[in-house]
Amino acid sequence: MDLKKKIYKNLLFKTRKLINKYYQETLFTIINICGDILLFFFLLIIFFKNTYQFHLFLKNIKFKFFELTDDNKAFLLILFSDTFVGFHSSYGWEILLENLLKHFGLPQDRSFIFSFVATLPVLLDTLFKYWIFKHLNAISPSIVSTYHKMNE
């Protein structure tokens, strides 16, 4: 009888520990989601109240980018493209996606992460090259030629 009570108490203790662990994880997930919703809501309010300043900021960024030399522009384009769609970017996407799933309390399924990492950088690379050849070529063909020379 004494052994059964010890086993029962041990089992009850471990069960309570698991319940508390999953309760805390659920609570943190709900707090994270509510915090993200509030952040998104406040960012939307700031954006809509300050659209003139936001457009001014974007024009300033665009002006600063086109003020650079062609070599610097090509360097920034290669840095951006290699960071998000380059050879080593898959590890960064895996870490980012794992942390995002963990943040929202979702299971970190490896097959989902690998399929996401296998498709998203290819899509981003295609869109980036389309932007370079369609829009950037019309604005400054010398940037595109410098980009090709630096990328080789």
Side-chain angles (χ1 to χ4, degrees), residues 35-56:
D36 291 340
I37 289 171
L38 282 173
L39 174 72
F40 183 71
F41 178 71
F42 287 128
L43 285 176
L44 280 176
I45 288 174
I46 290 170
F47 175 74
F48 285 121
K49 285 196 173 265
N50 300 315
T51 54
Y52 176 72
Q53 287 88 354
F54 185 72
H55 288 296
L56 199 63

Side-chain angles (χ1 to χ4, degrees), residues 84-96:
F84 291 106
V85 295
F87 176 71
H88 299 289
S89 69
S90 60
Y91 304 115
W93 282 108
E94 286 178 34
I95 291 169
L96 179 72

Side-chain angles (χ1 to χ4, degrees), residues 12-105:
L12 188 63
F13 175 74
K14 288 183 179 182
T15 306
R16 286 183 181 162
K17 198 173 176 181
L18 280 174
I19 289 171
N20 286 336
K21 176 186 168 194
Y22 288 113
Y23 173 74
Q24 286 179 350
E25 287 179 3
T26 305
L27 186 64
F28 288 141
T29 301
I30 291 170
I31 289 171
N32 284 337
I33 290 172
C34 291
D36 291 340
I37 289 171
L38 282 173
L39 174 72
F40 183 71
F41 178 71
F42 287 128
L43 285 176
L44 280 176
I45 288 174
I46 290 170
F47 175 74
F48 285 121
K49 285 196 173 265
N50 300 315
T51 54
Y52 176 72
Q53 287 88 354
F54 185 72
H55 288 296
L56 199 63
F57 173 73
L58 288 179
K59 283 183 182 179
N60 192 19
I61 294 286
K62 191 184 290 186
F63 178 73
K64 293 289 184 189
F65 178 74
F66 287 113
E67 191 177 84
L68 296 171
T69 64
D70 290 343
D71 294 337
N72 290 339
K73 290 176 198 172
F75 172 75
L76 287 176
L77 291 173
I78 290 172
L79 179 67
F80 177 79
S81 66
D82 283 349
T83 301
F84 291 106
V85 295
F87 176 71
H88 299 289
S89 69
S90 60
Y91 304 115
W93 282 108
E94 286 178 34
I95 291 169
L96 179 72
L97 198 58
E98 284 177 1
N99 287 333
L100 190 67
L101 291 173
K102 185 179 178 183
H103 177 75
F104 289 116

